[in-house]
């Protein structure tokens, strides 16, 4: 490790580090616009200039200069100060003076660094250039006259998202950043360029002119739009969530967020259930809590055990534990969270976990994906797979073809192809030091889990400090429900066969209600979606943004989300509804507060009380008789932007679906 001196202080830095990284290790702040830790080095903004000896007697760009033994680095000399002032002056030559009406104001790198490192005045007397606005879709607002050509957005699109949609046209003063043919950015991570933009050239179109950053309250939360469990921060103003931004977590989402996780939040205020409804004479009519509880208790008279609960995809662990406690207290064990009807074996949690972890899958050198459209089911996992491919990994996919962002070999959509492993796949797995298999939801629905477990021994997926067997879920509630035992061997079929008098639907909007025509269907949820349309009684609940809760992502990582805002109208947190319902029915569930509920849950499943990866032990022995059967004709997600009731209520997600997936032109008011 080379030793260098930064402003008179000697430090040791890792080999291969840059001068900028060495300065940061020494605690020095180096201004920059083009440099970003997760992108390739461009070295084109020149804001990070420092003085380095030995070397030419001029400032040097620290982001592109590797450290060498014995270097003397100065960050505070008059030469450096003058050079940075000159660079800032050039950057501001054509920049419009519209900070008061710019959405980036208050969190703008250019604004902050102009104050800290700029001259304070400009000597520019010439006319400023202007650049026409570019259309980048319904999510990204562009004011390209502000652009300083740092190319962060270009490098993100090419390197991280893997979609070459943004680039530079022309040269010199005429250079412009744009999407090719000025089409909308059509990938699932497009809005991350808004966070990357150090000026106000790319800002959030839905959030434009809604609030200033200093007006917002920030709350730590978890994205529930998929099973990745991305760490987010909800920014709220009053009782409304204004936006969701990613939080840095290198083990989960790094610092990226899918467009759905970022922009579905406007659906939190639309189509909300904010009062009790009961179906009378075939129509839903407003009612009181006591009426609804009385009707449910009346339906259970004579047989309290004839009750079942089905959990939706967005639920927190506490709500599911409370529902299970209620159902069990009534003498029933009819609980299920796989609302679409899947029945795979969950007796061993390691067999249904993403065992490699998101960070670990980057190091895999041969990957077989069975029945998963990763781009739509886990957009942030797709980023990790691209990293693995860049490092030399070979990817093989079984299932209908989808547009990958990396080279892949398609093996067809018939699962039987894996009963006799194709030579190319077998050779790649045999040569791999860290082989991996990813079993998707479409494969689980075809009953492929037992046969997939046979691949563990066939491909040598488990080695010292490596487990390459992975199941990719698409529901944010799935892993917590499995840990809580919220499932039945026969899945939804067991509940339908029992014909319960009362069916509690906990935000279950994707299930088939036709089998429960004889049941009193009670919907406890937050949106007037599919479940509410089938319900006989609606009890308004709270969304993920309106309650504290524990979530477990598909790799078994336990994470906690905090309450950002209050639920609207008469809506209540789900556990309080279930607690009041227990009193109406006349059973004891063993908790009276959220703290007691959480304590009881952790006592029952200790792993839910420890943030981080849960330990599920070793994989089970495979069934030697299991075989791959059936053909995967489609993936469960038909529309990336409309997968849950919050997203379906979101005007932004609807516009994205119409325009980006279905090619419809959405007219503005002026048109």
């Amino acid at each position: 490790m080379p030793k260098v001196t930064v402003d008179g202080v000697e430090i040791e830095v890792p080999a291969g580090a840059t001068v900028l990284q060495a300065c940061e290790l020494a605690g020095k702040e180096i201004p920059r616009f083009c440099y970003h830790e997760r992108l390739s080095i461009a070295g084109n903004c020149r804001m990070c200039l420092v003085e380095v000896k030995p070397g030419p007697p001029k400032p040097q760009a620290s982001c592109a200069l590797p450290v060498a033994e014995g270097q003397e680095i100065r960050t505070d000399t008059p030469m450096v100060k003058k050079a940075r002032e000159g660079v800032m002056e050039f950057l501001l030559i054509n920049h419009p003076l519209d900070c008061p009406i710019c959405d980036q104001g208050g969190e703008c790198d250019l604004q902050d660094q102009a104050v800290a490192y700029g001259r304070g005045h400009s000597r520019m007397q010439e006319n400023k250039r202007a650049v026409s606005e570019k259309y980048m879709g319904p999510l990204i607002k562009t004011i390209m006259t502000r652009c300083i050509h740092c190319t962060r957005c270009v490098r993100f699109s090419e390197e991280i998202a893997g979609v070459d949609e943004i680039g530079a046209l022309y040269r010199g003063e005429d250079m412009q950043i744009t999407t090719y043919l000025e089409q909308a950015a059509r990938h699932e991570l497009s809005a991350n360029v808004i966070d990357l933009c150090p000026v106000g050239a790319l800002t959030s179109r839905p959030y434009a002119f809604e609030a200033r950053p200093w007006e917002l309250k920030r709350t730590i939360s978890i994205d529930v739009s998929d099973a990745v469990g991305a760490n987010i921060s909800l920014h709220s103003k009053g009782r409304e969530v204004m936006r969701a931004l990613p939080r840095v977590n290198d083990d989960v989402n790094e610092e990226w967020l899918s467009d759905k996780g970022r922009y579905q939040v406007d659906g939190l205020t639309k189509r909300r259930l904010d009062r009790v409804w009961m179906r009378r004479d075939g129509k839903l009519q407003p009612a009181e809590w006591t009426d609804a509880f009385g009707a449910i208790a009346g339906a259970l008279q004579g047989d309290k055990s004839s009750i079942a609960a089905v959990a939706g995809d967005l639920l927190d662990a506490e709500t599911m534990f409370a529902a299970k406690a209620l159902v069990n207290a009534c003498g029933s064990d009819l609980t299920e969270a796989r609302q679409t009807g899947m029945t795979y074996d969950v007796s061993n949690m390691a067999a249904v976990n993403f065992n490699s972890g998101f960070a670990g899958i980057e190091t895999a050198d041969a990957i077989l994906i069975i029945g998963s459209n990763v781009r739509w089911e886990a957009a942030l996992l797709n980023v990790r797979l691209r990293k693995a491919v860049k490092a030399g990994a070979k990817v093989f996919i079984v299932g209908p073809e989808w547009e990958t962002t990396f080279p892949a070999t398609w093996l067809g959509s018939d699962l039987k192809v894996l009963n006799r492993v194709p030579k190319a796949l077998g050779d790649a797995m045999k040569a791999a030091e860290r082989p991996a298999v990813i079993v998707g939801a479409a494969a689980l629905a075809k009953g492929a889990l037992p046969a997939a477990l046979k691949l563990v021994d066939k491909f040598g997926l488990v080695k010292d400090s490596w487990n390459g067997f992975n199941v990719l879920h698409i529901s944010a509630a799935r892993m917590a429900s499995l840990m809580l035992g919220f499932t039945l061997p026969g899945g939804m079929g067991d509940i339908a066969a029992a014909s319960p008098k009362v069916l509690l639907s906990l935000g279950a909007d994707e299930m088939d209600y036709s089998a429960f025509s004889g049941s009193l269907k009670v919907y406890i949820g937050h949106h007037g979606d599919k479940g509410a349309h089938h319900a006989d009684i609606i009890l308004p609940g709270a969304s993920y943004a309106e309650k504290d809760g524990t979530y477990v992502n598909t790799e078994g990582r336990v994470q906690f989300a905090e309450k950002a805002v209050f639920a609207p109208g008469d809506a209540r947190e789900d556990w309080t509804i279930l607690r009041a319902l227990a009193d109406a029915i006349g059973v004891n569930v063993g908790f009276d507060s959220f703290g007691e509920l959480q304590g009881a849950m952790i006592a029952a499943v200790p792993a839910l009380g420890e943030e981080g990866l849960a330990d599920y032990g070793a994989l089970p022995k495979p069934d030697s008789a299991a075989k791959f059967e059936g053909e995967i004709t489609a993936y469960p997600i038909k529309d990336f932007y409309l997968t849950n009731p919050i997203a379906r209520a979101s005007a932004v997600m609807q516009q994205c679906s119409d325009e980006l997936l279905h090619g419809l032109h959405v007219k503005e008011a002026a048109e």
Side-chain angles (χ1 to χ4, degrees), residues 272 326 389 418:
R272 285 303 299 266
L326 172 61
V389 171
L418 296 175

Side-chain angles (χ1 to χ4, degrees), residues 25-98:
L25 284 173
K28 301 295 180 180
E29 181 181 342
I30 304 296
R32 84 290 294 271
F33 292 113
C34 68
Y35 175 80
H36 191 277
E37 295 82 355
R38 303 184 195 277
L39 303 176
S40 62
I41 294 171
N44 57 9
C45 79
R46 321 308 287 181
M47 194 65 209
C48 63
L49 295 173
V50 296
E51 194 174 342
V52 182
K53 295 179 182 177
K58 63 177 183 178
Q60 299 193 59
S62 61
C63 70
L65 184 66
V67 293
E69 181 69 36
Q71 278 179 333
E72 292 183 30
I73 304 165
R74 297 303 301 263
T75 69
D76 54 1
T77 63
M79 179 198 290
V80 171
K81 184 175 184 295
K82 185 176 180 182
R84 289 176 180 170
E85 287 178 351
V87 169
M88 181 60 70
E89 191 172 11
F90 272 112
L91 287 176
L92 294 175
I93 278 178
N94 289 310
H95 199 80
L97 302 176
D98 53 5

